[in-house]
Amino acid sequence: MADHYFHTPDGPIRTREVTTTIFGHDLSFTTANGVYSGAGLDPGTAILLRESAPPTSGRILDLGCGWGPIAIGLAVASKQVRVDAVDVNERALELCRLNAERAGVAERVPAMLPDQVADTATYDEIWSNPPIRIGKPALHELLLHWLPRLAPTGSARLVVGKNLGADSLQRWLIDQGYPAERTASAKGFRVIRVLPGG
């Protein structure tokens, strides 16, 4: 099980610079060892961003923000969105804050631990490349904690590898009362749109 899902790594930090295009904007990021996809934008997140249109306004949750490509990409694409960038890895949050500052969106991309999110916070959209490898029980608990925070007209966008159980996750979501449909499929990944539970 990947340690970066649960805590900030010990030892010295080794950073690297990566550049990628998100929603038509060329963005530079600092990444590092000890965080998810520290070598650069991972294929699943790249497909989620490529296959989804950014919202023009609203409050968004980037669940498992890592070093910030989703949160920052969304904030750069629209000046009318606020994106709460949430992760359990404090090194990832530090990088996300640094990258948001560099992109000029730090005021609209607060990076925080899950327990720093207000209990009353609700979201127009949730975007996530969820931590599938933490195992089904932990993943299900995570989703059942955050999906109820969707606004009544909101939706979530998840990207999951087909070989990591995307189709069974979609069925599970439906069984939990959350309408879920596949909106894209590419390079072994599914993008799943989830609506609020009834």
Side-chain angles (χ1 to χ4, degrees):
M1 196 176 297
D3 286 346
H4 59 250
Y5 284 141
F6 298 103
H7 62 79
T8 300
D10 297 324
I13 185 171
R14 299 183 302 279
T15 62
R16 70 166 63 194
E17 301 300 307
V18 300
T19 300
T20 189
T21 302
I22 301 175
F23 302 130
H25 299 272
D26 294 329
L27 299 174
S28 296
F29 298 90
T30 300
T31 69
N33 60 306
V35 301
Y36 177 69
S37 192
L41 190 65
D42 65 282
T45 299
I47 287 167
L48 175 64
L49 292 167
R50 188 187 75 206
E51 299 291 341
S52 305
T56 56
S57 63
R59 187 172 184 181
I60 316 301
L61 171 66
D62 177 2
L63 181 58
C65 66
W67 41 267
I70 294 175
I72 293 164
L74 291 170
V76 169
S78 174
K79 292 180 169 50
Q80 303 302 315
V81 301
R82 170 195 160 112
V83 188
D84 288 356
V86 172
D87 208 297
V88 296
N89 183 317
E90 293 191 17
R91 180 176 291 179
L93 294 174
E94 291 170 8
L95 292 167
C96 186
R97 292 184 191 109
L98 173 69
N99 291 324
E101 187 72 35
R102 175 191 291 185
V105 296
E107 290 185 359
R108 293 187 290 113
V109 182
M112 63 192 92
L113 295 165
D115 61 8
Q116 294 174 319
V117 178
D119 291 339
T120 55
T122 60
Y123 296 98
D124 299 294
E125 294 189 12
I126 296 173
W127 289 55
S128 185
N129 182 348
I132 298 296
R133 295 183 188 277
I134 64 176
K136 280 187 178 182
L139 176 66
H140 292 170
E141 181 180 355
L142 178 75
L143 293 174
L144 291 176
H145 176 78
W146 292 103
L147 287 174
R149 291 173 175 254
L150 280 172
T153 58
S155 65
R157 299 169 187 267
L158 312 177
V159 63
V160 181
K162 180 182 177 182
N163 66 341
L164 293 176
D167 296 340
S168 63
L169 179 63
Q170 181 181 350
R171 289 192 297 270
W172 176 82
L173 287 163
I174 293 169
D175 289 344
Q176 303 307 304
Y178 290 94
E181 64 173 344
R182 185 195 316 166
T183 60
S185 183
K187 298 183 179 178
F189 290 91
R190 313 283 207 213
V191 176
I192 303 170
R193 182 169 180 258
V194 187
L195 299 180

